[in-house]
Amino acid sequence: PIKVTFTNFGSTPTTREVADFPQKPAGESPTHTVTLTPTVFIDADDFRMEDHKEYYGLAPGKWVGLRYGPCMKCEEVKMNGSELVEIVATLADLPPDGKRPKGNLQWAPENGVVFEARLYDHLFLVPQVDDKIWEEQLNYESEVICKGAMVDPSILGPDGKLPPAQTHFQFERVGVFVVDYDTDVEAGKLVMNRTAQLKASKPKSVEAPQKSAAELAKEDARKAEQKRQMELKQSRGNLDPKELFKQGEYEGKYSKYDDDGIPTHDAAGEPLAKNAIKKLKKDMAKQVKIYNNAQKK
């Protein structure tokens, strides 16, 4: 997400009651509260340095609407080299022309909930897989992990805690998400899986912007890492679970293990914390499943 700071915050109401299901007729949907804060975060896809007459997102010097909120104008873009650090904006009920812009951006307040988003797509790039070249037809972006994603705090329970595993939400313009079992409610770690995409509205005549060399390099690095992870999973099919934490990425990290092969002490001989052991047990459970499935084949 991109950080947006308002220079004139306080000139507009900050809290609004909105429908949980906007598509339902007024008064027929339960509601929740959203709060506009002096700093908000917007989707990175909703900002461009160069505007286009058919582009409805934010750009320097341009007015857009905030979903369930007022309008804002991008006054300044702060950069650190080639990295966008912050957008400085002003708020108003309407732009000077008195017309609300067509673009309405989703946003999260400064106290938004940070989570890990796992975006799932088709495993293969083609509808009919060729057994001889199936590896070439794999979609290495069938799982994309985005750390540092943000969502409105209204997803929290009445006690302020994270939602439990298998709770599902539909995020406007984004897709349907379900809370993953890797979520740790007590530790405040939220992991959500996108199980279905929503069709984003974008003008058909507008071509996707060309990616920079840095963006292409980052994409190649991500694909290479995903391929490495897939090859690692395949190689683990023949690895005895009790040997998992004694080699590969774990080699040299631990000095003592229990009867099941779970590390109990670090390399310096210090006992591991309960949370660390709990995570290692989860990793072990995944390896046991991979190993057992491989042996069946």
Side-chain angles (χ1 to χ4, degrees):
I2 299 176
K3 179 181 180 181
V4 180
T5 299
F6 302 120
T7 59
N8 62 336
F9 186 82
S11 62
T12 183
T14 59
T15 301
R16 296 194 181 189
E17 200 77 16
V18 302
D20 290 354
F21 305 99
Q23 72 276 16
K24 288 190 174 183
E28 293 187 11
S29 169
T31 62
H32 64 276
T33 299
V34 294
T35 302
L36 188 67
T37 52
T39 295
V40 299
F41 294 85
I42 65 171
D43 195 314
D45 290 338
D46 286 335
F47 177 80
R48 290 182 184 176
M49 287 299 294
E50 295 184 9
D51 197 12
H52 188 285
K53 64 179 181 179
E54 295 187 61
Y55 173 63
Y56 301 137
L58 187 64
K62 182 178 181 179
W63 285 93
V64 296
L66 289 171
R67 181 71 164 153
Y68 307 120
C71 300
M72 71 171 178
K73 178 185 178 182
C74 175
E75 302 285 1
E76 181 185 356
V77 179
K78 294 184 178 181
M79 307 288 293
N80 181 10
S82 61
E83 180 183 1
L84 195 162
V85 177
E86 180 183 8
I87 292 173
V88 179
T90 53
L91 289 171
D93 290 333
L94 291 173
D97 64 4
K99 299 179 181 179
R100 188 172 178 90
K102 292 183 178 180
N104 283 287
L105 309 189
Q106 62 201 59
W107 51 276
E110 59 189 12
N111 63 329
V113 179
V114 177
F115 70 102
E116 178 181 303
R118 298 175 181 174
L119 311 180
Y120 291 100
D121 204 342
H122 295 290
L123 180 59
F124 292 95
L125 298 170
V126 295
Q128 187 65 41
V129 180
D130 188 328
D131 292 342
K132 296 180 180 179
I133 58 170
W134 66 270
E135 291 180 324
E136 298 176 13
Q137 297 172 336
L138 282 169
N139 176 14
Y140 290 108
E141 292 189 349
S142 59
E143 180 191 52
V144 176
I145 297 177
C146 302
K147 297 186 177 181
M150 188 173 287
V151 65
D152 191 84
S154 57
I155 69 164
L156 300 176
D159 56 359
K161 289 188 175 183
L162 297 175
Q166 294 299 296
T167 308
H168 60 276
F169 300 90
Q170 179 172 316
F171 295 160
E172 290 190 69
R173 292 180 55 214
V174 180
V176 178
F177 284 72
V178 63
V179 180
D180 190 89
Y181 282 107
D182 285 343
T183 291
D184 190 331
V185 174
E186 297 302 324
K189 175 189 175 184
L190 177 61
V191 179
M192 302 192 76
N193 302 325
R194 185 185 67 188
T195 56
Q197 298 186 54
L198 300 181
K199 185 178 181 180
S201 61
K202 57 178 70 175
K204 294 181 180 179
S205 59
V206 178
E207 295 183 358
Q210 294 294 318
K211 294 182 179 179
S212 66
E215 290 174 324
L216 291 172
K218 186 176 180 180
E219 186 176 293
D220 289 341
R222 184 176 69 247
K223 289 181 179 179
E225 175 61 20
Q226 289 173 341
K227 185 176 181 180
R228 188 188 72 81
Q229 291 291 341
M230 182 175 293
E231 291 173 346
L232 179 62
K233 288 182 180 179
Q234 292 174 345
S235 67
R236 283 188 173 179
N238 296 319
L239 177 62
D240 186 331
K242 290 186 177 182
E243 300 298 317
L244 173 64
F245 298 112
K246 299 178 181 178
Q247 54 183 279
E249 60 184 295
Y250 301 105
E251 187 173 359
K253 289 186 176 182
Y254 309 107
S255 59
K256 293 183 181 180
Y257 309 82
D258 64 15
D259 293 340
D260 295 322
I262 305 292
T264 58
H265 293 69
D266 63 19
E270 295 295 326
L272 296 178
K274 290 183 178 180
N275 286 343
I277 294 178
K278 181 179 179 181
K279 182 181 183 305
L280 292 172
K281 286 183 177 180
K282 287 184 179 180
D283 291 342
M284 172 65 82
K286 292 179 183 178
Q287 175 59 25
V288 169
K289 185 176 181 180
I290 292 173
Y291 181 77
N292 289 340
N293 288 338
Q295 301 311 304
K296 290 178 182 178
K297 295 178 182 179

